[in-house]
Amino acid sequence: MNISCMMKTVIAAFGFMLPVTAACAGALTGQMDRQPVNVQALVMFFLFVGLTLWITKWAAGRTKSRADFYTAGGGISGFKNGLAIAGDFMSAASFLGISAMVMQVGYDGLIYAIGFLVGWPILMFLIAERLRNLGQFNFADVAGFRFSTVPVRVFAAFSTLAVVAFYLIAQMVGAGQLIKLLFGWDYLYAVILVGFLMMIYVLFGGMTATTWVQIIKACLLLAGVTFMAFMVLYLFDFSFENLFSAAITVKTGLALTDGKNTEEAAAIGRAIMGPGGFVKDPVSAISFGMALMFGTSGLPHILMRFFTVSNAREARKSVLWATIWNGYFYLVIFIIGFGAIALVLSDPELRSPLENGAGAANMAAVLVGKAVGGNLFYGFISAVAFATILAVVSGLVLSGATAISHDIFNMVLCKGKASGEQELRVSRIAIVVIGIVAVILGIVFEQQNVAFMVGLAFAIAASANFPVLLSILWSGCTTKGAVIGGTLGLVSSVGLTLVSPAVWVSTFGFSPESVLFPYSSPTLFSMVLAFVGVWFFSVTDKSKRAAIDKAGFPAQQIRSETGIGVNAASVH
């Protein structure tokens, strides 16, 4: 296959994303003011960029094959991979988005932290080992182990690209707002810079560079948030009661300033300590919780990391370490969110950057850093936040490029006969295309809360990828059931998201009365629809292919639980 065909593969694979996402461009109002250049932050920023570029150069020298590019050769230890996975999860959505959500609505912001965390036991006990034993480069290898290759890989590729698209939006918006706040650069140039650096890391360093950038960034971020949480508690005598009381007082005072009467202002102040600030009804609460809990097991860039370790035991250790680091991180980020209310919202000078559009609220965490550590720590935590975004974006782009080059180009179009060089060439073209799409999406969705956008990516992952992955546990599942069920989950989750209030009203600008789906998350409906689809179309499938699928279950079970034959299948 020539270069022209390769380009067509990449563009055709990604073309479906643009109409859906670009359609959401409307009604974005408000611009965050450009800020004066922060010298300390600028120095920290260039130090980090220099370090990561050196890592990329080092990693490029070690990247010789497909396995090196996609999975770092499978030589990462469980401990290091756990840190890298935690780094993937401690993204812009977690660090910037959750702290901003807590600052805005208080207690309800905790739903993200709990939801993100409780998904890990599912990953550890049901999927991690089986994933490592059955797959080679991505989750499509696992789903396609006993099913017909073409339909399963086409579904997996499009599902992966949909999740990557929504996840990329959050990261690019966070990066653009951060650089705009720190350096006074225009948002457009900030997003382009992020896209350019990300492409360099992935193009030349592959998974090795991405993993080491994640590990270094995870260590720096854990140290940074620990210092911030310690200082917030120190300023309130290590008393949660004092911290929460101060936060209630600040919220009450702001409500009085906005013209509320004393009784209304007091109610608004107390509301941050109870549910209902973000999730308005039980259906939305259950649906949102399901998205965060089960979506973890369907995120393509997280699943891909289980192929960077040497065996199933290391894969299980990866999840254990990732759970520990993430659990600690989400505990302290909740403290930082309330610290933002008590320290940032109470100070007019610190608060001013947050008053210029909805997207500006994403900068709450870095402003807490300025409040507790001055300009030097402000520069440090800003550089770490930028590193967080770059590392996560790199992992996302790599998983999207793998779906195009490995699944669509090699396994579908070339019937698995493409050489490693051809596949890598397509992968690098895909990285450039995805990088350009990421920049466009970052510009279009400038004013969105980054945590919310990631919540939508989790909803798609839980509704499309997770039900198909669980098919490895059911002997009766067939190709027809897995593909139709997964497609129902993918289409319904994206469709219901587009007609929900968050997009239909807030982004499209239609009236609240015209909303077609009244809940904030589609997962309760789309995930159930996917499972019912997998079951119904499997039990009613009497084709010859169904008989082959069912006959292949014992071999798949032995391989998934023992790892016998895994070395022959994985060129690590």
Side-chain angles (χ1 to χ4, degrees):
M1 182 168 286
N2 58 34
I3 295 296
S4 174
C5 290
M6 295 175 182
M7 286 294 295
K8 288 177 181 176
T9 301
V10 174
I11 294 169
F14 237 84
F16 87 101
M17 292 168 54
L18 289 174
V20 173
T21 48
C24 304
L28 296 179
T29 57
Q31 296 291 321
M32 192 168 78
D33 292 340
R34 293 170 62 177
Q35 302 295 308
V37 174
N38 183 313
V39 177
Q40 291 92 338
L42 200 62
V43 171
M44 293 283 185
F45 170 79
F46 282 112
L47 280 175
F48 172 78
V49 170
L51 173 64
T52 51
L53 287 176
W54 180 84
I55 291 173
T56 302
K57 181 176 181 298
W58 167 78
R62 299 166 60 95
T63 303
K64 308 291 185 188
S65 65
R66 260 188 329 180
D68 294 334
F69 190 78
Y70 291 145
T71 61
I76 306 294
S77 70
F79 176 75
K80 291 174 184 172
N81 198 43
L83 263 176
I85 292 174
D88 270 321
F89 243 67
M90 293 185 287
S91 63
S94 297
F95 179 51
L96 303 178
I98 293 179
S99 53
M101 191 66 77
V102 173
M103 180 189 74
Q104 291 175 319
V105 301
Y107 177 85
D108 265 9
L110 195 59
I111 190 172
Y112 282 99
I114 294 174
F116 285 150
L117 186 60
V118 298
W120 287 98
I122 298 171
L123 196 56
M124 181 159 67
F125 292 114
L126 283 182
I127 294 179
E129 289 186 41
R130 294 179 172 87
L131 200 70
R132 180 62 191 84
N133 285 337
L134 290 174
Q136 186 176 8
F137 298 134
N138 58 16
F139 99 93
D141 293 332
V142 179
F145 186 86
R146 67 185 169 102
F147 298 142
S148 178
T149 295
V150 172
V152 166
R153 287 190 183 272
V154 169
F155 157 75
F158 281 88
S159 177
T160 295
L161 291 174
V163 175
V164 165
F166 279 95
Y167 219 113
L168 271 177
I169 293 170
Q171 309 306 319
M172 298 303 287
V173 169
Q177 296 287 6
L178 184 66
I179 293 180
K180 186 177 174 180
L181 175 67
L182 290 176
F183 309 140
W185 296 352
D186 189 272
Y187 179 85
L188 173 66
Y189 299 128
V191 171
I192 292 174
L193 174 67
V194 173
F196 177 72
L197 285 174
M198 169 267 294
M199 280 190 273
I200 289 179
Y201 294 154
V202 184
L203 276 173
F204 296 102
M207 181 58 88
T208 304
T210 303
T211 300
W212 278 102
V213 171
Q214 280 287 21
I215 291 172
I216 293 171
K217 160 242 144 171
C219 294
L220 292 175
L221 185 57
L222 285 168
V225 295
T226 299
F227 174 77
M228 290 167 67
F230 176 85
M231 289 303 296
V232 167
L233 291 175
Y234 170 76
L235 292 174
F236 293 95
D237 301 322
F238 295 98
S239 166
F240 283 100
E241 183 178 355
N242 290 348
L243 173 62
F244 295 149
S245 296
I248 292 171
T249 301
V250 170
K251 281 285 187 180
T252 303
L254 290 173
L256 287 171
T257 306
D258 287 340
K260 304 293 182 185
N261 62 42
T262 304
E263 191 173 327
E264 290 172 335
I268 291 173
R270 289 194 302 271
I272 63 171
M273 298 308 299
F278 170 61
V279 182
K280 305 293 185 184
D281 59 88
V283 173
S284 292
I286 294 171
S287 191
F288 207 73
M290 288 174 64
L292 301 180
M293 186 186 307
F294 299 113
T296 303
S297 299
L299 294 176
H301 65 299
I302 296 292
L303 299 177
M304 197 172 171
R305 288 216 163 273
F306 291 105
F307 306 115
T308 66
V309 295
S310 57
N311 53 50
R313 182 170 177 268
E314 293 299 313
R316 189 171 59 246
K317 283 172 63 179
S318 302
V319 181
L320 181 63
W321 280 112
T323 305
I324 292 170
W325 300 126
N326 280 317
Y328 172 74
F329 177 79
Y330 288 126
L331 278 177
V332 297
I333 206 70
F334 189 62
I335 297 171
I336 292 170
F338 271 92
I341 299 175
L343 301 175
V344 177
L345 294 184
S346 62
D347 186 326
E349 184 180 348
L350 281 174
R351 189 175 70 228
S352 61
L354 303 177
E355 297 173 341
N356 298 283
N362 293 317
M363 295 301 102
V366 293
L367 291 171
V368 172
K370 188 174 187 178
V372 301
N375 279 334
L376 186 61
F377 185 76
Y378 177 48
F380 168 79
I381 202 66
S382 299
V384 171
F386 182 75
T388 296
I389 294 165
L390 267 182
V392 174
V393 167
S394 300
L396 285 167
V397 171
L398 190 57
S399 65
T402 305
I404 294 172
S405 61
H406 182 59
D407 294 330
I408 295 181
F409 171 71
N410 188 10
M411 302 306 292
V412 174
L413 295 181
C414 297
K415 310 297 182 188
K417 297 177 181 177
S419 67
E421 290 74 18
Q422 285 178 310
E423 192 174 317
L424 280 178
R425 199 176 305 132
V426 173
S427 186
R428 289 191 164 106
I429 295 171
I431 287 165
V432 174
V433 175
I434 295 173
I436 294 170
V437 172
V439 170
I440 295 171
L441 295 180
I443 295 167
V444 168
F445 287 88
E446 178 182 351
Q447 296 300 320
Q448 291 294 324
N449 178 279
V450 294
F452 178 73
M453 294 307 298
V454 164
L456 297 182
F458 272 70
I460 298 170
S463 304
N465 295 349
F466 182 62
V468 174
L469 265 179
L470 281 195
S471 68
I472 62 178
L473 302 175
W474 180 32
S475 62
C477 189
T478 68
T479 300
K480 185 178 179 182
V483 172
I484 294 180
T487 303
L488 286 173
L490 173 63
V491 172
S492 60
S493 58
V494 173
L496 291 176
T497 295
L498 293 179
V499 297
S500 69
V503 177
W504 191 254
V505 178
S506 304
T507 305
F508 286 168
F510 294 112
S511 67
E513 293 74 22
S514 65
V515 166
L516 302 175
F517 179 71
Y519 306 111
S520 58
S521 174
T523 315
L524 178 60
F525 306 93
S526 55
M527 187 173 157
V528 170
L529 181 63
F531 273 113
V532 171
V534 170
W535 169 79
F536 178 78
F537 288 101
S538 292
V539 298
T540 57
D541 187 2
K542 307 300 180 186
S543 64
K544 291 181 180 177
R545 181 66 232 182
I548 296 172
D549 295 338
K550 292 172 184 174
F553 181 77
Q556 175 194 277
Q557 190 173 32
I558 292 172
R559 167 82 170 265
S560 68
E561 294 184 0
T562 66
I564 294 174
V566 68
N567 290 332
S570 299
V571 190
H572 289 158

